[in-house]
Amino acid sequence: MYNTEQEKFFLQQSKLWIANDPEKDHLDELKQIIDYADWKYYVMDNPVLSDGEYDTLFKKLKQLESRYPELITADSPTQRVAKSLTQSFPTVNHLVPMLSLENSYDANDLIEWDRKCRELSGEQVIEYCVEPKFDGASISLLFEDDLLLRGATRGDGVQGDDITTNTRQIRSIPMGMAIGKKGISLLEVRGEVVLTKEKFKQYNERLIAEGIPLLANPRNAASGSLRIKDSTEVSKRGLDAFLYHISFWQTVNGERPYQTHYESLQLLHALGCKTSLKDAKLFQGITEVIDYCAEIESGRDALPYEIDGAVIKINRIDLQDKIGQTSHHPRWAMAYKFKARQASSKLLQVEYQVGRTGSVTPVAKIEPVSVGGVTVSSISLFNEEVVKEKNLMIGDTLLIERAGDVIPYVVKSFPELRTGIETPIIFPVNCPVCREVLYKPEAEAVWRCTNINCKAQVIERIIHFASKDAMDIRGLGDALVRKFYEQGFLNTIDGIYHIPFEQMKGLEGFGEKSILNLQQSIEKSKTQPLNRLIFALGIRYVGETTAKTLARSINHLHDLYDMSAEQLCQLEDIGGKVAGSLVDFFSHPDNRRLIESLELSGLQLQNMQNVHHEGGSLNGKTFLFTGTLTMKRSEAEALAEAAGGSILGSVSTKLNYLVVGEDAGSKLEKAKKLGTVIILTEEEFMRLIK
Ligand code: IVH
């Protein structure tokens, strides 16, 4: 895509335009630098600019464009952002129907398919390309004259929905690409939109905090996201797209721009797209194909996104054409589906759990069943609406799915299997723990117990505070919190720091060693970073990600006391609902008292990360020191780390800065050769971290 010289040039120029104000004749260059930074970040997973540097350049481009609107081009990075809500998604025709794939499930299926392919093609041995089968939502993209003209969903395969505005929010999809240089005037490309497991988790975290039913799996999340009318929301979800097939091309000379499938992936990669190329491999004959399918399957859990199989394609396009297709699928391609992570089981009963915010969640107790290697006996049903929508009855047979690391969920019930002994699920009207009458705000789906002293809520708040992702107090788990509560040792969050351990001596189950371990982990929790403490407080709608955003933007927890909803809304990803909940929480005297008490117990209320390093512009940057420096190497490394950087052991494309002292040798040579590393003198380094 870019050669070393170009990469070096863009890096140098980016520094120049961060420090200086570009004029209108630099507008193209600025756009190219931002495109380059996007490509490094979203396609190559190897960022070259910090968030702050990127934002500065983006702002400068926007300012220039607002001064010279006649210079705005359709493929400018500023044009990704939609101007208004999409009203509807018009139906469009695909240039070529989007076919499905035939499925295979074991080696025999593949051997049989290979036999047919050889028979139809007349070849003795066929070269196959094997790549992952991405589990997301398929899309079709149309590029004309170097511009992304249209993005569409699969629809019925012949017609799909025009989702161009939403496809522009997927940063790994280029807004334009230089197909003209390759003699191509029109290109229709197929791919899969996916959500990484991490982004999916973050998104569900937001839903948990808002008490909204979770999305079942990244696949549903991806396909749902493509149809959202507010494209800024689409942008926030952080979707990704892998392209894996060229379905139509038009060239100036009429010649095909590639001869094999593998070459078509290389072409897309060279044009700046994220493709299946990285894990695509070529094999002569089916035997090795089968081995590689197994290899892809065993690496499935380690991938950052979900895959549900492998796709095997005949590599030579002339053979593909010879073998042809049915109305449903190409004969030259085959999906190899991994073992399903689904199982069926019986719904035995429904229990109701009261959460720390008083939400009452129905939980299905099922006959234990193994799903994808994990035994499942209990599944959240989220709320009353889900129970109704899925038409569940006690005694029903349920279909259960577990995608990757995701929590198991009920796909559906089988009403056709009912025998007449099934009984309806009746939602309680009183809190199952404190008997308070349950309440449901009109716009919400969740029933709540509004008694904040409800035993279940108090216990859940303490459990949440001590949990692994919050203050991580090892040893103070669910069961012990309940036990301490029942015995009167612990009934508030701050009580954790005043547990009367001396009264426990001699009590069954509290040996000296276990008490000592627990005391140590409680002590250790006092130095947890501020973001964990904010999350641990259990403020409604504040998940881990929001807690991090909040912690980053303050120096001390008390700073949140007086922040208005407007100020909070200025922060990344914080909307009116979250802001309102924060203002409520911090203005409540009981909560302030809790925070004062935690402070008195010696908890860390200051943001230590900001103490070391204001601004964070070097966050995530990598450094390496070489040659003789005036200070000790370890001191220099500590300075870089304190500024948010990390230290690498050798020169590679992952390295951002090489700091050179006297007599620098081979590392300097290598960095120069690479061209992507910024080389600094010790003095320049000191100025950088200032
Ligand atoms: S090739 C004409 N390659 O799987 C060939 N499809 O179950 C078009 N899919 O509709 C498809 N990963 O949405 C191909 N590497 C990959 C794929 C892939 C996922 C999807 C695609 C297809 C579905 C069939």
Side-chain angles (χ1 to χ4, degrees):
M1 175 72 185
Y2 296 94
N3 63 36
T4 329
E5 278 305 303
Q6 286 168 315
E7 293 212 23
K8 197 170 163 185
F9 176 73
F10 285 139
L11 270 179
Q12 276 168 358
Q13 294 306 96
S14 68
K15 305 290 163 209
L16 180 71
W17 299 129
I18 287 165
N20 300 287
D21 282 332
E23 254 313 313
K24 92 178 197 205
D25 38 337
H26 301 120
L27 197 132
D28 268 344
E29 188 176 299
L30 211 49
K31 283 196 287 197
Q32 285 171 3
I33 296 171
I34 293 174
D35 278 342
Y36 165 70
D38 275 344
W39 176 75
K40 287 297 271 190
Y41 188 98
Y42 294 103
V43 178
M44 303 309 285
D45 293 326
N46 183 11
V48 286
L49 298 182
S50 71
D51 291 356
E53 290 171 330
Y54 183 90
D55 291 346
T56 307
L57 289 176
F58 201 89
K59 248 187 228 149
K60 291 190 175 183
L61 173 62
K62 253 173 131 173
Q63 279 162 1
L64 266 184
E65 285 186 340
S66 69
R67 268 166 56 206
Y68 305 102
E70 69 280 8
L71 297 182
I72 301 176
T73 55
D75 62 353
S76 167
T78 59
Q79 301 306 298
R80 283 198 187 265
V81 189
K83 305 277 177 308
S84 60
L85 294 190
T86 308
Q87 295 308 326
S88 62
F89 302 113
T91 306
V92 289
N93 290 320
H94 299 300
L95 296 190
V96 173
M98 282 178 87
L99 298 183
S100 196
L101 290 173
E102 194 181 0
N103 288 330
S104 65
Y105 299 93
D106 56 29
N108 287 337
D109 291 348
L110 289 176
I111 291 168
E112 176 53 22
W113 174 64
D114 171 56
R115 196 193 57 73
K116 263 197 225 145
C117 287
R118 284 186 291 122
E119 189 180 295
L120 290 170
S121 66
E123 297 285 313
Q124 299 243 304
V125 180
I126 294 184
E127 182 175 55
Y128 292 108
C129 179
V130 185
E131 60 194 52
K133 184 172 183 308
F134 304 98
D135 196 8
S138 48
I139 44 153
S140 165
L141 303 171
L142 195 57
F143 291 89
E144 188 177 35
D145 297 335
D146 289 2
L147 272 185
L148 170 63
L149 196 68
R150 188 177 86 185
T153 61
R154 179 175 191 279
D156 63 5
V158 176
Q159 295 186 314
D161 291 347
D162 184 332
I163 48 156
T164 311
T165 312
N166 284 350
T167 17
R168 290 209 180 102
Q169 310 314 313
I170 304 172
R171 307 292 291 272
S172 46
I173 296 180
M175 298 262 286
M177 50 190 199
I179 51 175
K181 268 198 199 146
K182 310 256 177 199
I184 305 170
S185 48
L186 191 67
L187 200 64
E188 193 188 46
V189 188
R190 301 278 150 86
E192 204 83 354
V193 172
V194 300
L195 196 63
T196 60
K197 294 173 188 168
E198 182 59 29
K199 285 265 157 50
F200 174 73
K201 198 176 138 221
Q202 281 175 12
Y203 181 64
N204 262 350
E205 220 178 69
R206 225 169 91 189
L207 298 185
I208 291 178
E210 297 185 17
I212 299 172
L214 305 193
L215 287 173
N217 51 44
R219 180 200 333 130
N220 291 5
S223 69
S225 303
L226 288 181
R227 267 168 242 276
I228 298 176
K229 298 206 163 160
D230 176 1
S231 53
T232 48
E233 174 62 27
V234 182
S235 170
K236 276 190 203 155
R237 300 221 179 154
L239 300 166
D240 218 333
F242 288 93
L243 305 185
Y244 46 64
H245 180 64
I246 295 179
S247 47
F248 189 79
W249 50 265
Q250 210 169 52
T251 49
V252 181
N253 61 12
E255 279 174 26
R256 175 180 288 286
Y258 53 88
Q259 304 309 323
T260 64
H261 171 66
Y262 197 83
E263 279 173 27
S264 74
L265 296 181
Q266 286 175 320
L267 172 66
L268 290 172
H269 176 75
L271 288 167
C273 304
K274 198 162 190 168
T275 67
S276 50
L277 188 62
K278 195 169 134 276
D279 295 307
K281 280 197 183 163
L282 295 173
F283 300 101
Q284 309 296 325
I286 204 72
T287 315
E288 288 181 13
V289 166
I290 294 167
D291 292 345
Y292 189 50
C293 285
E295 194 180 320
I296 296 182
E297 181 162 12
S298 62
R300 173 184 195 180
D301 286 335
L303 287 176
Y305 43 83
E306 288 289 343
I307 59 171
D308 61 344
V311 183
I312 305 120
K313 298 171 185 171
I314 292 185
N315 195 34
R316 270 169 52 188
I317 307 291
D318 60 332
L319 287 189
Q320 290 186 358
D321 289 346
K322 192 167 175 191
I323 289 184
Q325 59 192 47
T326 71
S327 60
H328 170 262
H329 61 262
R331 287 198 193 89
W332 46 263
M334 177 64 88
Y336 172 79
K337 298 274 280 187
F338 296 155
K339 271 164 234 62
R341 285 167 157 169
Q342 283 190 337
S344 60
S345 178
K346 199 154 245 152
L347 175 55
L348 302 175
Q349 56 165 318
V350 175
E351 287 180 2
Y352 298 88
Q353 276 175 7
V354 184
R356 66 190 149 88
T357 59
S359 55
V360 178
T361 308
V363 177
K365 297 287 164 183
I366 59 166
E367 266 171 14
V369 62
S370 167
V371 194
V374 172
T375 302
V376 180
S377 57
S378 186
I379 307 180
S380 172
L381 296 173
F382 304 120
N383 61 41
E384 194 182 13
E385 268 171 36
V386 172
V387 174
K388 281 192 187 144
E389 197 186 287
K390 294 202 190 279
N391 180 17
L392 306 182
M393 288 181 89
I394 293 174
D396 268 355
T397 304
L398 306 180
L399 181 66
I400 290 141
E401 183 171 317
R402 193 184 65 87
D405 333 329
V406 178
I407 51 167
Y409 74 103
V410 174
V411 182
K412 60 173 190 166
S413 70
F414 295 96
E416 62 275 23
L417 297 183
R418 284 181 189 152
T419 58
I421 58 158
E422 295 74 17
T423 52
I425 298 170
I426 298 164
F427 226 79
V429 285
N430 294 92
C431 171
V433 177
C434 73
R435 312 307 307 160
E436 176 94 3
V437 174
L438 297 181
Y439 163 78
K440 183 164 82 75
E442 212 163 284
E444 292 184 17
V446 179
W447 285 94
R448 283 180 195 281
C449 163
T450 52
N451 169 17
I452 59 160
N453 295 317
C454 167
K455 172 178 149 185
Q457 287 187 47
V458 174
I459 292 178
E460 291 299 329
R461 282 200 290 267
I462 301 174
I463 291 174
H464 170 75
F465 187 89
S467 66
K468 189 162 167 284
D469 294 333
M471 299 302 272
D472 194 17
I473 305 180
R474 305 271 162 96
L476 191 58
D478 255 48
L480 197 60
V481 171
R482 286 179 210 287
K483 202 161 171 181
F484 280 175
Y485 184 92
E486 295 304 341
Q487 302 192 338
F489 294 143
L490 178 60
N491 50 25
T492 55
I493 286 178
D494 48 332
I496 293 175
Y497 299 96
H498 307 284
I499 297 175
F501 286 107
E502 62 295 341
Q503 294 176 26
M504 287 180 201
K505 293 205 175 99
L507 284 181
E508 209 195 313
F510 299 114
E512 235 168 76
K513 181 98 178 84
S514 61
I515 290 183
L516 192 68
N517 284 345
L518 184 56
Q519 278 172 320
Q520 275 171 353
S521 57
I522 291 176
E523 204 48 41
K524 209 169 132 207
S525 74
K526 293 181 179 173
T527 54
Q528 285 288 17
L530 184 57
N531 58 302
R532 279 182 173 263
L533 176 59
I534 295 176
F535 175 59
L537 289 172
I539 306 164
R540 210 167 154 198
Y541 307 137
V542 177
E544 274 177 86
T545 316
T546 309
K548 278 186 192 150
T549 306
L550 288 167
R552 258 202 312 272
S553 50
I554 56 174
N555 290 319
H556 194 281
L557 188 57
H558 288 168
D559 295 350
L560 288 177
Y561 283 16
D562 302 314
M563 273 172 90
S564 65
E566 290 74 36
Q567 284 169 318
L568 289 162
C569 282
Q570 301 290 315
L571 303 176
E572 195 189 340
D573 283 344
I574 294 189
K577 212 150 81 171
V578 184
S581 163
L582 282 161
V583 171
D584 273 358
F585 184 91
F586 287 103
S587 57
H588 201 293
D590 283 350
N591 293 330
R592 290 195 179 201
R593 255 195 301 277
L594 165 67
I595 292 168
E596 306 314 316
S597 159
L598 292 174
E599 188 169 23
L600 280 175
S601 299
L603 270 76
Q604 186 59 259
L605 268 58
Q606 251 197 331
N607 181 3
M608 297 314 279
Q609 256 118 24
N610 281 1
V611 170
H612 284 308
H613 176 57
E614 307 271 348
S617 67
L618 293 178
N619 267 349
K621 291 288 175 200
T622 53
F623 289 82
L624 180 64
F625 296 87
T626 186
T628 317
L629 304 171
T630 59
M631 65 181 118
K632 272 201 207 133
R633 174 84 50 97
S634 56
E635 275 174 43
E637 289 179 348
L639 284 173
E641 280 174 341
S646 54
I647 312 298
L648 289 191
S650 63
V651 177
S652 73
T653 50
K654 292 205 176 74
L655 182 65
N656 298 122
Y657 296 101
L658 180 73
V659 183
V660 290
E662 297 274 315
D663 301 324
S666 63
K667 285 187 180 140
L668 176 58
E669 288 314 308
K670 193 168 171 202
K672 278 186 181 162
K673 229 185 241 161
L674 268 181
T676 54
V677 180
I678 300 172
I679 297 162
L680 300 175
T681 62
E682 190 178 341
E683 196 195 328
E684 285 168 334
F685 165 69
M686 292 308 289
R687 260 187 281 136
L688 180 77
I689 59 164
K690 237 195 351 219

